[in-house]
Amino acid sequence: MEWVGLLDCNNFFVSCERLFRPDLQKRPTVVLSSNDGCVVARSPEIKALGIPMGVPYFKVKNELAAHHTEVFSSNFPLYRDISRRVMDSLGGCVGTYEQYSVDEAFFKLTGTDEEVLQRSHTIKKKIEQEVGVPISIGVAHTKTLAKFANGLAKKESGVYVLGNEKWVQQQPSVPLSQIWGVGRQTAQKMQDHGLCTVTDLLTADRSRIDALFGIAGVRLQAELAGTHNDRLSRSGSQIQQSIMSSRSFKDATNDITILENAIAYHVGEVAAELRSLQAVCGSLNVHILPSRHGEWLLRGGSQESLLVRPSSDTRVLLTEALALVRELWEKDVPYKKAGVVVSLISDASTKQLELFADTKRDDTAAVFKVMDIVNGRFGKSALTIGRVPSHSNWQASRQFCSPRYTTNWTELATVKA
DNA sequence: TCTGGGGTCCTAGGACCC
DNA sequence: TCTGGGGTCCTAGGACCC
């Protein structure tokens, strides 16, 4: 029998922080989004208090303090490093897998219900021993069902195998709103049409679902029926479609210089990421936006520029990006966020031959190689090029950041005997 | 006072063409 | 008063996810 497994790390960011602070086991702990804006990871103690995912920090600050909660700003270098260890460990168990997010991956299993159950327990135990963060594994016949099974795993022993029999039994009592891919809007629309449970959707006429929800609805039907539709089947090794760097400001601003500074910073980020993937981009998009919550939300916007030739050269991208900011900028709009997205990403080595190559640029690769190495070792802004972004006037606050235990020599964890 | 950042995929509608 | 229809391509934005 063929199965799909989904590994998911429990309260991942919190678990990463706890890994280096054993004293925090069992203590209420949260991790905040950038700018210390929202609660994005909660320990079980916090979930038990009923504090919802994504709530603005300022709304629950007092309640958290009353329960002596440990509060952390996001420490992404740490989470990425732990993520890599989890994925390496999974790879050691199952060979190929498809990473879905920083803390999740799909993989294939074969065998009887009982065999995959045992196997999953073995995998869970090995990863937890090797890396030290708790994980859950859900197993079923499609990805959507594996995702659902993972939810059940978290309520049980950390592993749940959802075979056909069990699933058929559960269908009438599972609300569609609990299914992966069904968000608020879709759930409401389904309900408006009398579709509330999984059974409702599975017994509905396919052509009706197609008319109402399009291809996504039909796929969902197939996934829930257990037909292996593989909606995420883009193989894991495929190069990603876009790379983004974007950030909210501490305070809104209309100052074009500050916006240019922020955009220059983001261009530096995405260009370095492109180079680390040995890739180039063919399109660059710049956005400057006001607050999503005020009267200005319809102002601001984004604009895209197609590059004459694909590039990962900070200077080339910066020239384009700065022109776009100046086009987008409008007097009086209080901008709260700025960012850069590159797409049409391709492998640098397959870059098409340039008919009119600019030979002066031939030294570029060497220059960036040195810059990326130095910045990797000493911090992102040790060396910059083209424009020195001044951070102080726009960068986010990170009041509660933990040290970069695993990725920075000066902040390594200390072991006391 | 204070509401994230990084992704994917799909659709609707305009521009353009014959 | 009449003033096509159908196709493709592109882009902005929506919905969803973690």
Side-chain angles (χ1 to χ4, degrees), chain A residues 196-217:
Chain A
C196 299
T197 68
V198 168
T199 303
D200 293 338
L201 185 68
L202 285 176
T203 53
D205 200 50
R206 168 190 281 246
S207 60
R208 176 165 172 247
I209 297 305
D210 191 15
L212 284 173
F213 303 100
I215 191 171

Side-chain angles (χ1 to χ4, degrees), chain A residues 163-184:
Chain A
N164 275 330
E165 245 172 77
K166 280 194 220 167
W167 176 229
V168 169
Q169 254 180 12
Q170 295 182 29
Q171 285 168 4
S173 55
V174 177
L176 286 164
S177 57
Q178 276 184 24
I179 298 299
W180 187 40
V182 180
R184 233 189 42 242

Side-chain angles (χ1 to χ4, degrees), chain A residues 42-105:
Chain A
R42 303 160 296 157
S43 69
E45 300 76 21
I46 296 293
K47 290 177 187 171
L49 290 175
I51 295 192
M53 174 72 173
V55 68
Y57 176 53
F58 72 88
K59 285 191 179 172
V60 292
K61 195 172 177 174
N62 292 337
E63 189 182 353
L64 292 177
H67 290 90
H68 308 288
T69 305
E70 289 289 334
V71 178
F72 291 92
S73 301
S74 293
N75 184 348
F76 279 100
L78 174 65
Y79 311 149
R80 267 193 293 267
D81 188 57
I82 305 302
S83 169
R84 187 183 47 73
R85 296 181 195 202
V86 171
M87 297 304 155
D88 285 352
S89 184
L90 176 65
C93 295
V94 301
T96 58
Y97 59 90
E98 180 184 326
Q99 187 167 355
Y100 172 69
S101 73
V102 69
D103 73 327
E104 285 170 275

Side-chain angles (χ1 to χ4, degrees), chain A residues 234-241 277-280 345-348:
Chain A
R234 304 185 329 101
S235 78
S237 59
Q238 204 169 323
I239 198 157
Q240 69 196 94
Q241 308 264 316
L277 297 168
Q278 280 148 88
V280 290
I345 295 170
S346 56
D347 198 316

